[in-house]
Structures are given as structure tokens and as C-alpha cells.
Amino acid sequence: MSEAVELGFPSLRLVPKAEGKQSAKDFKSDQEVRWCPGCGDYAILAGVQSFMPELGLAKENIVWISGIGCSSRFPYYMNTFGMHSIHGRAPAIASGLAITRPDLSVWVVTGDGDALSIGGNHLIHALRRNVNLKILLFNNRIYGLTKGQYSPTSELGKVTKSTPMGSLDQPFNPVSLALGAEATFVARTIDSDRKHLTETLRAAAEHEGTALVEIYQNCNIFNDGAWDPLKDAEHRDSLTFRLEHGQPITLVDGSRGVVRAADGSLQIADVSAVGTDALLIHDVHSEDPSVAFALSRMSDPMSLANTPIGVFRDVRRTPYDALFAEQMAAAKAGGSDDLATLLAGSDTWEIT
Amino acid sequence: MGKQTVQLDRVIIRFAGDSGDGMQLTGDQFTSRTASFGNDLSTLPDFPAEIRAPAGTIPGVSAFQLHFADHDITTAGDTPNVLVAMNPAALKANIRDIPRGADIIVNTDEFTPRNLTKVGYDTNPLEDGSLQSYAVHPIPLTSMTVEALKGIEITKKEAERAKNMFALGLLSWLYHRPTEGTVTFLKQKFAKKPEILAANITAFEAGWSYGETTEDFSVQYEVKPAVMAPGRYRNMSGNLALAYGLIAASQRAELPLFLGSYPITPASDILHELAKHKRFGVMTFQAEDEIAGIGAALGASYGGMLGVTTTSGPGVALKSETIGLAVSLELPLVIVDVQRGGPSTGLPTKTEQADLLQAMFGRNGEAPVPIVAPRSPGDCFDAAIEAVRIATTYRTPVFLLSDGYVANGSEPWSIPEVDSLPDLRVQFATEHNHTKADGTTEFWPFLRDPETLARPWAVPGTKGLEHRIGGIEKADGTGNISYDADNHEKMVRLRQAKIDGISVPDLEVDDPDGDARVLVLGWGSTYGPINAACQMSRRKGSSVAQAHLRHLNPFPANTAEVLRRYDKVVIPEMNLGQLALLIRGRFLVDAIPYNQVRGLPFRAEELAGVIKDVVASV
Ligand code: SF4
């Protein structure tokens, strides 16, 4: 295990640096990628592979851990260390690895079923614990690998093979869930927007602690076009809020913005009517998560109108693994580690 | 003072009272003094799952049995010579186990009409003659304690609570136990509460003086120290020994120990113990659930730690899928199952051995996992080291099957020399292990050691060894995803062959007469009762052999040969015949199962009866 190296990325300061310059190609494994042609996962994979060199980390100190589902095949395609584990459990496995190995950069890839259904418990506890993990949640609002059942993010009334008359359960909003689970970093991006994807990955990598990045991903086989309103040139700018720290929160086309109403709630208003000074300024570092939460509730799960994209929250709280290491160090400084003394205890007798 | 002292070779005492009466602490203290006095001993705590069941009721009775002797003993004893009953419920719950003629010390203060009615006594057993055939010592323990504590600034309730120390003082006098250790213990425990400390010490001393002065006890007893192998000893409980075994193994393997665990009775004490030893590099992680506990442990193993998870039967059920993943990934992992009564929640505080088949087969697919089972509290130490040896050498999850009886019981333990412990150091993979046709080299994560069939342990951070592993079937050698039929057949058989080929010590047979035709075969915590039963049988003229399995998967290589040497094989188990099923299936031996699931260990006498019948039939 290598020496700690100081890097620009505080969360990765203990991870050794790469020796030479890296390129996206260095992160491509020799395995044939087996997602359906046209799947949004390809774009995310390419985005991640081209972003990785920016971290400048020794490749062997990067680990990708996934659960089960289409997205969870991701580690096979990264030429780093990787584990394709079992359904929903990746955050737990990754926590054990990240806590014990601060010299690793540990990434989790999961999907809406993997993270929010079968693995919901592990996700919320990973978030509140704040272990130094980066979790990429590919949300396609459907079960792909099992061939098209509704998922915990599918819109109410979703007609699928398992719900011929429409689904009956209210979907989760992963961002709201994460904020409620004490997450210190929560962001959302889109598979097809390489620039925004890269910016978001960078912000997540810089964050110390658990970072959750929800990535809207298209499953062109079982739920094609689920995010199309946010992608097509005609509508996207009037549906999407681009969250940028220190900037007023407005739709991309600038027509409408977020203001605070008299009762304290957030409201969407015509910018021309309220004026730019009235607009709420986005503050990712706000300790109080209520504005971030209110922003996460603005979007309509059916029409996708008013969907915020970007970093919702990025606050500093000492990560679990750092606190863990502190306790270990304090204990080591404070007592004997002589095994014979331990085994003997204090109350012994001799037989001759 | 001046009372007559009677020599005894062994004594069995049972302390019984309400859950809130401090019986476990009383028993523990008596045990510690007995251990340091040099007797051989064995203990059996028996307490309800509820933290405080309704006071004065039968379900609320908590008991602690201690057997100590001037010779080698292996069980906590069948029938107590002395019962200390702190209330009517304790008397009622235990009287059926007490042989006639035994001493019964009762706290008369609690034998009020209301308390008697509560447990269904129509008349007071202390007065209606129903205890005539016992030596009953009626003592107003509570009021005498309160009286003795007059002048100490505490509430009446606090004074009453010290009555267990009065009882301990009396028993300590009765059996000539040293007092110093108890006083030291109390001083530590109540260092911050001087009044409570004074109350406890005063009550303890008052109990002792009461024994000396009362006419109720005309004799004192003495049990001479036992003859034991030379060495330094301490008293050791199973869960503590298991925790120490894991720490020792981690030190000898030079691998930091990582425990991922979720609290569950009766395994939590291992988590508590390990949490204290961070200075040995022991990392403990209380996870959100059983699955995350083992998941984190597996993640740590992947990173080159000694990954361990501790649980009981219900937790194993939840961990099954991850154990299967560990089988598939071929990474070291130790799964400690402190078995308890099942199914489902079952009997959390009672013992049972009914997880053997769960450990053996409780996973989807062909997923063999080695199994090691300790035979006594102290043996948990060695069994833990053995489990780690197998896990790290063969890169496999290993079950360590303890149970509530060995976990909570205690016995004198000969403290081992650290240098005598096995060297468990392992070699991580550091370089490429395969040469391609073009002469370049690469790393194959599933290229096996020809001898052990273990795959390389290549931890993240090792340059040039980047590779991916997963629960999908892997191609032999490269480890790449493979759905190929022949490859799957090969991999399934390779994983099985690796486990079957684990080298384990031969099964030893104890047959002092050399002419036994009946073998009693056991595993795990039944060792003590089986051993005592065999000795009893031999004293009565029946020739019988005993063999005890520590390794249940794989079985020792000589198992078939041992089994075939005997006309009859009896298998006593605290389940409905799980080892018997394996033995019959594996070795075609018509074993005779003898089974009990009462949440308590076997009684040696009863087993001796079974042995007698079988010996008579051959
Ligand atoms: S099923 Fe959907 S999510 Fe899965 S690989 Fe195909 S397109 Fe992608």
C-alpha cells in the first residue's frame, strides 16, 4: 500500500498519483461492452473514461464496485480494479473497502432498482455515514436487465409487463431521498450532456465523503425516451433549471426563476414580472438542506417540467473513514498492543 | 470459626433469581474466585431473552450454574448440589432439576402470599412440607441485607439490591472461596459510586459472617484445587476466547482484522470485545443490517484485510447471498455463527446446534464452505485461528460454528505462548502470472495454486494487476465473464475440489479400553457432556469410544476408516439429526442419532443411559 500523496482533490489526497500522463484509452478494459446498442450507458462510460485522467490517480488505486442490473456491468469495462457484486449491496461492500483503504478511490455504480429498491437500506446508510465513496446512480426509470418491469422511479401508472393496468406506487425522487438521508453531496446530471456530466463528476470527486450523482440515463429498449423532454433542443431549455453555485436559479432559457414566497416556500415566477434581484441565489454549501430539498421537489415526475440539473448540495462534514482512522490512531497511541499481555488478562493463576 | 470442614471432590451450584437480581454477576464472581483457587470448572448461564421480564414470574427467572471440582470436568453438571433461590419463581422453575437431599437456600423475604400466587403456589412450599426431602435453609436475605447496610447513605431500594452480594458472601464462606478478588472487582465496578461500593462490600461481608455465626450451617465445604497440566491459567468464556482467537490470528497473519457486524444475541459480545482492541489494528464496523455487515467485511477482505462477520442463525440466513458471492469471488472471509434455538427468532438466549445444514448447504448453487466448530469455551480460541488459517490459505469463506452454550460458558484456560501459535502469514499477488502467445505477460486472477487450488489474492493498489471479479461465472484462469457450459462445469467442480482438498487434522479416537465396539461421535459444544457420559459409562463397565469432529467440511480424511471400525455409531446432537444425515449420506454408515432441542446442553447421565443401551445391543 502506497505512500500518501497530496493531490488537488481533497477527497483523494491519500490516493497515489499516476506516474505518467493518462488518456481515456488507459481506462478501457479489454472486455467487449455488452449493453444494447444505443443504450445511454455507453455515453456515461465514455464520459467517465475521458474524465478519469483528470484525477491523475494511479489506475491500480481506483476501484469500481457495482451491484446487479444493466448499469452494474460497468466495472468490467473499466481498466482499474473492480467488483461486480450482488443486487443492492455495492454500497456496503464499498464501505468496507473504503474505510480500510484510504489509499483507494472507490466508486459505486448502481441503478434505480439496485440502489433504491433492493439496496435502499444500504444507500441511505452510506449517505448518512459519509464514507469517502462516489456513487453514480444510473436512473432509467425501468428494470432493464430483467426485461422491463417498473422501477421505484417509474412514474405512477406506468404500464409494464408486471403492471399491465399501471403501477400503483408513488415513485422515489432520488435527490429528495438522499437529502433526507443526511447526504453531504447530491447532484443530478444527464447521460447525453457530456460537458455537464464531466463537471458533475469533477464536483463529486472533489467532495470529501459520500457523493451521490443521479444520472438520467436512457434505456432505449424498455423505456425509450424517458428523459427526452430534457434532451430535445426544442423543449429542454424551458424545462430545465441549471443549478450553479452563486448564480440565480432560473430555467436555462431564463424565462422563469425561483423566488421565495411570503410563506417561505419556493415558487416559480416569470423573471420579467419579479425582476432578477428577487431570484434565489443557489448556495450548494448551505448547511440547511431545506432549500435543496425544496428544489428537488419542484419537478413534475410526469411531464419533467421544472427539473433542476446540477449540484443540489455540497457541504463539508468529516467523512466517516477519517473519523474512523482518528479513533484507530488514538487507540494505538493510548495502549499496549502486546498480544501476550492481552491473552493473559489480569486474573491468572499458576499451576506448577 | 471452628466449624467442621468437609472435603468434597466436586460441587454443582445453581444461583437462580429474578432477571433484576444480579444472578449472572453473582455467578461470574463465584466462578472467577473458583478459577483462581485452582479448581477445574464449567459454567452454564441460562437467562431469558427479555431484558427485564415481569418481576417475580417464571419467564423472568435468570440462572447461573457452576460445576467445580478437584479433577478434570467437562460439563456444567447435571444436577445441582445447591440451589440458591432468590424468590418463589426461581424455586418453582428449578426445583425439578434438584435431587433430593440437596441444599436449597431460599430468600424467605420474597415468599409473600402475593409472590406465591403469582407463580401458582397455592400454599407456601417452605411451610407445606413439600420440600421435606431437601436441606432447606430459609434465610431472610433481603431484610438481613437492609439491616446490615443501616448507616450507609443509600435508598432502601439500593440496599435491597445488594442482597445478591449477601448471598455471594454466604456461599463464598460455605465453600471456602477467596474473597479478595470480589472486593477488587467491586472497587473497580463502583469506583464512581462510593456509597454503592460500601453497600456491596458490607453486604458481601455480612453474608460471610452470617455463615460463620448461624447455626443453620454446621459445616463448611472444601474442594481442593484440581490437578491440571502445568502452566498459567485464567478463566475463559467462549465469546471472549473467540474474539481473542481472531485477534491472535490477525496478528499472526499480519493482516488487520475488520469486523463487519450487526448486533444479535448471543454473538454481540464478540463485537463488543473486538471494539475494545483497536490498538491491535482491529477495526469494528456496526453496519445497518446483517447483509451490510458481511458486505463490508467482504469489501475489506477484497482490500487485503482479514474480513470477519459475527452473527447467529437468523443473521446467517440474511448473509447467505453474500457468502455465495464470497465463494464465487474466492476471497477469505470468516463467518462466525453463534447458534441459538431456531427456527426464526426461536430461543435467542438458549443453545442449539441446528445451523449445521444451513452452514453446509444454505446457499443457491453449488457453494461449498468449510466449517469449523469449537468444542468448549477455551477451544473457541484455537477454532478461530483454524478458521482464519483455512480462509486465508484457500481464499474461501469459512464458517465458525459456535453456540450459545460454549459462547456464554466458561472454563479454566491455559494461556498459550504467542510464539507457539501458527504462522499465518500470506502472500499477496504482486506480479503477472500468465504469458500470452506473443510473449507478453498479464495477470490471471483465477489461475490456481496447483496444490491448494487457491487463486491469487490480488489487492487493489497493486500495479499491473488491475482486474475485475464478480458473481457471474468466470472463465477458468482469466476470470472473464463466461457462460460456456464446459467452463461452468469445470469451475463448479474446481471450487468443490478446492474445499474437499483442504488439509485438516485426522479425527482422533479416545478408546482407553481399546476394545470398544460402540463409537460416540459428536461435534461442537456437545463435547463436554459426551465426554462426561463416556467416562461415566466406562466407570460402570461399558467399553465405549469417543470421537469429536472439529472439521465438518471437509471431514477429516480418516473419518470413513474410523467409522468403519465400530459396530455402532451413536451421534448425539442438539438438533434433529443433522450430522447424522451427513454421516449417513457421505459414508453410508447407519448411525444412530440421539437428539434433543431443549435449549440446554445434554445431561451426561442421560447420555450415559443411551450409551449403555447401545453397548448392550451389540
Ligand atoms: S436494457 Fe436498457 S439499460 Fe439495459 S443495456 Fe439495454 S438499453 Fe441499456
Side-chain angles (χ1 to χ4, degrees):
Chain A
M1 281 150 239
S2 323
E3 284 292 293
V5 175
E6 192 69 39
L7 286 180
F9 291 92
S11 79
L12 301 170
R13 65 178 181 275
L14 300 174
V15 185
K17 256 188 186 165
E19 274 162 18
K21 223 176 132 47
Q22 297 168 325
S23 72
K25 221 176 109 243
D26 293 322
F27 289 92
K28 291 190 176 127
S29 80
D30 60 357
Q31 296 298 294
E32 183 197 345
V33 184
R34 292 198 194 154
W35 288 308
C36 307
C39 175
D41 291 352
Y42 282 95
I44 305 172
L45 177 65
V48 168
Q49 285 168 337
S50 64
F51 164 69
M52 281 279 125
E54 199 181 307
L55 292 176
L57 301 174
K59 208 156 54 90
E60 63 271 18
N61 287 69
I62 299 171
V63 186
W64 289 85
I65 296 188
S66 65
I68 293 292
C70 289
S71 58
S72 287
R73 296 297 176 94
F74 196 94
Y76 287 115
Y77 310 134
M78 293 294 297
N79 190 18
T80 62
F81 276 85
M83 185 197 292
H84 179 215
S85 76
I86 43 177
H87 209 8
R89 316 304 171 199
I93 294 170
S95 293
L97 182 63
I99 292 166
T100 54
R101 292 289 305 272
D103 62 324
L104 301 178
S105 169
V106 182
W107 297 71
V108 170
V109 173
T110 181
D112 38 319
D114 193 57
L116 302 171
S117 232
I118 194 165
N121 199 33
H122 307 307
L123 180 76
I124 57 173
H125 288 276
L127 292 171
R128 77 167 167 96
R129 217 174 262 133
N130 201 31
V131 175
N132 201 1
L133 292 177
K134 312 302 157 205
I135 303 176
L136 310 187
L137 193 169
F138 297 11
N139 181 4
N140 55 21
R141 310 188 89 179
I142 200 79
Y143 281 80
L145 195 63
T146 50
K147 301 194 173 149
Q149 301 82 8
Y150 79 110
S151 90
T153 56
S154 295
E155 56 278 20
L156 198 63
K158 183 87 172 171
V159 174
T160 69
K161 280 181 219 161
S162 63
T163 49
M165 296 171 73
S167 64
L168 302 172
D169 30 348
Q170 177 72 19
F172 262 138
N173 176 324
V175 170
S176 305
L177 180 80
L179 290 167
E182 308 288 345
T184 53
F185 181 100
V186 188
R188 175 185 290 148
T189 185
I190 303 182
D191 57 1
S192 54
D193 186 343
R194 170 71 66 89
K195 187 163 166 285
H196 191 262
L197 173 72
T198 306
E199 277 167 22
T200 313
L201 291 174
R202 185 180 300 127
E206 277 172 2
H207 177 74
E208 281 191 274
T210 307
L212 179 83
V213 180
E214 180 190 19
I215 306 175
Y216 284 173
Q217 174 245 329
N218 191 38
C219 168
N220 57 308
I221 301 294
F222 295 110
N223 202 18
D224 195 22
W227 308 113
D228 271 2
L230 305 178
K231 296 181 176 186
D232 76 76
E234 198 184 328
H235 302 104
R236 66 181 180 215
D237 293 352
S238 60
L239 293 176
T240 316
F241 283 94
R242 193 50 78 87
L243 301 176
E244 276 167 47
H245 180 67
Q247 297 298 317
I249 305 167
T250 65
L251 288 173
V252 178
D253 68 10
S255 60
R256 315 188 76 200
V258 177
V259 294
R260 202 182 275 286
D263 67 357
S265 65
L266 298 191
Q267 274 182 3
I268 299 167
D270 285 334
V271 176
S272 55
V274 295
T276 42
D277 287 354
L279 295 175
L280 200 66
I281 304 294
H282 187 45
D283 179 6
V284 295
H285 306 310
S286 169
E287 280 301 323
D288 176 2
S290 58
V291 173
F293 186 80
L295 289 171
S296 78
R297 307 307 295 169
M298 289 194 319
S299 49
D300 176 6
M302 302 300 286
S303 70
L304 304 181
N306 304 322
T307 299
I309 296 289
V311 178
F312 286 76
R313 178 171 172 80
D314 181 1
V315 296
R316 166 130 184 90
R317 195 174 81 222
T318 311
Y320 180 96
D321 35 337
L323 296 170
F324 194 94
E326 263 174 39
Q327 283 196 350
M328 293 295 294
K332 277 181 188 166
S336 144
D337 63 351
D338 180 54
L339 184 58
T341 310
L342 175 76
L343 298 184
S346 54
D347 193 1
T348 67
W349 67 96
E350 199 80 41
I351 292 189
T352 45
Chain B
M1 229 176 306
K3 281 194 187 175
Q4 186 198 344
T5 296
V6 175
Q7 296 292 334
L8 297 174
D9 63 346
R10 64 189 196 109
V11 174
I12 301 165
I13 301 178
R14 187 182 292 178
F15 296 94
D18 212 42
S19 299
D21 283 344
M23 290 297 97
Q24 301 303 321
L25 182 136
T26 309
D28 275 341
Q29 283 308 304
F30 197 92
T31 302
S32 292
R33 301 301 83 74
T34 297
S36 52
F37 184 71
N39 294 123
D40 196 11
L41 66 85
S42 177
T43 66
L44 173 64
D46 184 19
F47 45 87
E50 293 77 15
I51 302 305
R52 289 276 188 279
T57 62
I58 301 255
V61 173
S62 170
F64 185 100
Q65 184 163 314
L66 165 70
H67 182 188
F68 60 103
D70 66 2
H71 57 275
D72 185 21
I73 51 167
T74 55
T75 78
D78 291 353
T79 47
N81 308 106
V82 187
L83 171 70
V84 179
M86 300 298 280
N87 65 9
L91 179 68
K92 185 145 197 197
N94 290 285
I95 191 72
R96 62 166 189 273
D97 297 335
I98 311 301
R100 307 203 175 264
D103 287 295
I104 299 179
I105 296 170
V106 288
N107 177 12
T108 53
D109 288 325
E110 287 291 318
F111 280 67
T112 61
R114 196 164 157 266
N115 287 354
L116 290 166
T117 323
K118 214 188 256 182
V119 294
Y121 275 127
D122 294 333
T123 54
N124 187 341
L126 304 180
E127 290 160 4
D128 65 9
S130 59
L131 300 177
Q132 251 172 14
S133 44
Y134 302 91
V136 180
H137 306 275
I139 304 172
L141 281 171
T142 315
S143 41
M144 289 181 68
T145 306
V146 172
E147 183 65 28
L149 302 188
K150 264 193 182 149
I152 299 177
E153 293 277 306
I154 49 170
T155 64
K156 181 154 179 272
K157 224 179 168 154
E158 284 167 334
E160 286 177 354
R161 215 176 283 154
K163 64 182 178 292
N164 63 331
M165 284 300 119
F166 189 98
L168 181 62
L170 174 59
L171 271 288
S172 299
W173 170 81
L174 192 57
Y175 291 98
H176 269 300
R177 300 291 95 179
T179 58
E180 212 174 282
T182 301
V183 173
T184 313
F185 165 82
L186 291 172
K187 279 183 180 158
Q188 273 168 7
K189 184 169 163 77
F190 297 115
K192 294 207 179 91
K193 297 176 182 161
E195 284 82 22
I196 304 287
L197 170 65
N200 276 279
I201 292 181
T202 309
F204 177 71
E205 285 166 351
W208 179 284
S209 323
Y210 176 75
E212 268 187 341
T213 48
T214 182
E215 305 208 334
D216 198 7
F217 294 97
S218 52
V219 291
Q220 249 181 312
Y221 300 98
E222 191 172 61
V223 180
K224 287 257 160 64
V227 181
M228 291 195 261
R232 216 151 139 239
Y233 285 80
R234 65 179 285 181
N235 187 44
M236 189 51 107
S237 75
N239 272 347
L240 185 63
L242 201 150
Y244 281 10
L246 292 172
I247 296 173
S250 137
Q251 296 278 309
R252 300 295 288 174
E254 296 179 2
L255 295 173
L257 175 62
F258 179 90
L259 175 74
S261 185
Y262 187 76
I264 186 169
T265 304
S268 303
D269 281 342
I270 305 172
L271 165 63
H272 304 161
E273 187 59 36
L274 289 174
K276 290 187 214 160
H277 299 293
K278 293 183 172 60
R279 60 187 190 277
F280 288 93
V282 175
M283 298 171 271
T284 55
F285 176 71
Q286 183 178 317
E288 59 270 23
D289 59 26
E290 295 279 359
I291 300 172
I294 188 173
L298 183 62
S301 281
Y302 177 57
M305 310 292 137
L306 175 57
V308 178
T309 191
T310 48
T311 189
S312 186
V316 173
L318 288 163
K319 294 177 196 291
S320 305
E321 192 190 15
T322 312
I323 299 170
L325 176 64
V327 168
S328 177
L329 297 181
E330 303 192 43
L331 283 170
L333 184 68
V334 175
I335 304 122
V336 179
D337 175 4
V338 185
Q339 301 166 92
R340 65 191 217 187
S344 188
T345 305
L347 301 171
T349 58
K350 311 287 178 189
T351 196
E352 204 161 279
Q353 293 182 294
D355 292 351
L356 176 57
L357 295 183
Q358 177 175 228
M360 192 78 189
F361 300 120
R363 290 163 295 283
N364 62 305
E366 296 289 352
V369 176
I371 303 170
V372 178
R375 61 166 61 174
S376 73
D379 187 44
C380 289
F381 180 82
D382 299 306
I385 291 176
E386 176 66 353
V388 171
R389 176 190 73 88
I390 294 174
T392 52
T393 309
Y394 296 89
R395 316 280 147 83
T396 175
V398 176
F399 264 105
L400 184 51
L401 274 189
S402 174
D403 67 31
Y405 177 44
V406 283
N408 289 324
S410 65
E411 64 178 357
W413 182 61
S414 167
I415 302 161
E417 291 293 334
V418 169
D419 291 340
S420 71
L421 301 175
D423 181 351
L424 299 174
R425 278 175 299 180
V426 294
Q427 204 65 51
F428 291 137
T430 52
E431 20 183 74
H432 288 176
N433 56 2
H434 177 76
T435 308
K436 292 192 270 191
D438 66 2
T440 57
T441 60
E442 63 184 347
F443 178 64
W444 278 17
F446 281 81
L447 196 65
R448 291 167 194 282
D449 179 296
E451 202 166 305
T452 59
L453 297 183
R455 76 175 192 91
W457 192 358
V459 304
T462 317
K463 197 171 170 54
L465 302 195
E466 296 87 343
H467 67 279
R468 278 62 56 193
I469 54 176
I472 299 188
E473 186 60 280
K474 291 154 286 287
D476 183 28
T478 66
N480 291 330
I481 292 181
S482 168
Y483 298 109
D484 181 73
D486 291 341
N487 176 74
H488 178 57
E489 170 100 23
K490 184 173 185 191
M491 289 296 276
V492 168
R493 291 184 186 280
L494 270 171
R495 287 188 288 260
Q496 185 67 48
K498 180 176 83 167
I499 303 307
D500 292 344
I502 291 171
S503 111
V504 303
D506 268 351
L507 182 60
E508 284 175 24
V509 181
D510 179 30
D511 179 10
D513 301 326
D515 60 354
R517 294 170 65 192
V518 172
L519 172 74
V520 187
L521 180 71
W523 69 278
S525 79
T526 50
Y527 174 78
I530 294 176
N531 185 265
C534 287
Q535 290 186 25
M536 242 179 239
S537 305
R538 288 175 199 137
R539 278 200 297 275
K540 290 183 184 153
S542 301
S543 199
V544 62
Q546 182 190 4
H548 209 74
L549 286 164
R550 148 173 294 204
H551 294 92
L552 294 128
N553 194 27
F555 286 120
N558 68 336
T559 307
E561 184 262 313
V562 167
L563 295 172
R564 258 181 248 120
R565 264 190 252 158
Y566 298 91
D567 295 340
K568 296 250 159 100
V569 177
V570 184
I571 304 184
E573 287 179 273
M574 296 187 291
N575 58 40
L576 295 186
Q578 301 195 4
L579 174 63
L581 181 78
L582 293 176
I583 293 289
R584 283 161 169 255
R586 191 65 57 84
F587 302 105
L588 283 177
V589 167
D590 188 16
I592 305 165
Y594 182 73
N595 306 102
Q596 226 172 58
V597 279
R598 296 160 39 80
L600 289 166
F602 282 107
R603 286 156 186 264
E605 203 157 331
E606 180 184 339
L607 282 183
V610 173
I611 294 169
K612 187 172 157 232
D613 291 346
V614 178
V615 171
S617 75
V618 292

